[in-house]
Amino acid sequence: MGYTNYWTIEKPISTENFNKITRELEECEVIFPHLFKIEYIDDNSFTINGWGKDSHETFTVVKNHVGSNSCKTNRKPYDFAVWHILMYMSYLLGKDFEVSRDR
């Protein structure tokens, strides 16, 4: 099984908010380079994962994807970055975003 983060997006993320999210992600990578790496980032999506044995399932956000999503991190160090970005998204997107995780 493994430890999992869950989120639901009710409507597409605006370009303005998506740009804020990716900037936050890039700042986190500078501050915590040992926790995770950005595998891919463009105007519509991004993916991150841990390093080497500390990687698990890729965390992906797609700007125009509406619906439920999940990322199994298995409590590996990059979970900190995943949860931080999900909390930042919750702050920006408000009622159009729901987030939870295994306890």
Side-chain angles (χ1 to χ4, degrees):
M1 288 197 128
Y3 183 81
T4 306
N5 295 284
Y6 307 92
W7 67 100
T8 302
I9 300 173
E10 297 295 329
K11 65 180 186 181
I13 302 170
S14 71
T15 298
E16 177 184 1
N17 281 336
F18 190 78
N19 290 340
K20 288 178 182 178
I21 294 164
T22 56
R23 278 193 305 275
E24 183 73 14
L25 180 64
E26 291 169 333
E27 288 178 20
C28 283
E29 186 183 40
V30 169
I31 296 169
F32 302 108
H34 59 287
L35 291 182
F36 74 102
K37 60 184 172 186
I38 297 174
E39 295 186 333
Y40 181 79
I41 191 168
D42 69 11
D43 293 339
N44 296 304
S45 66
F46 64 82
T47 63
I48 70 170
N49 206 328
W51 288 100
K53 66 178 178 48
D54 286 330
S55 65
H56 205 67
E57 196 172 272
T58 301
F59 172 60
T60 302
V61 173
V62 178
K63 178 177 151 184
N64 295 317
H65 176 75
V66 173
S68 297
N69 303 274
S70 66
C71 176
K72 194 174 293 188
T73 60
N74 205 30
R75 294 188 195 266
K76 294 191 174 177
Y78 80 107
D79 180 68
F80 178 81
V82 170
W83 190 248
H84 174 80
I85 292 302
L86 289 172
M87 290 292 93
Y88 187 70
M89 290 173 67
S90 180
Y91 164 75
L92 284 178
L93 305 177
K95 64 181 175 52
D96 295 321
F97 188 81
E98 291 181 25
V99 62
S100 65
R101 60 184 172 175
D102 291 342
R103 297 252 175 206

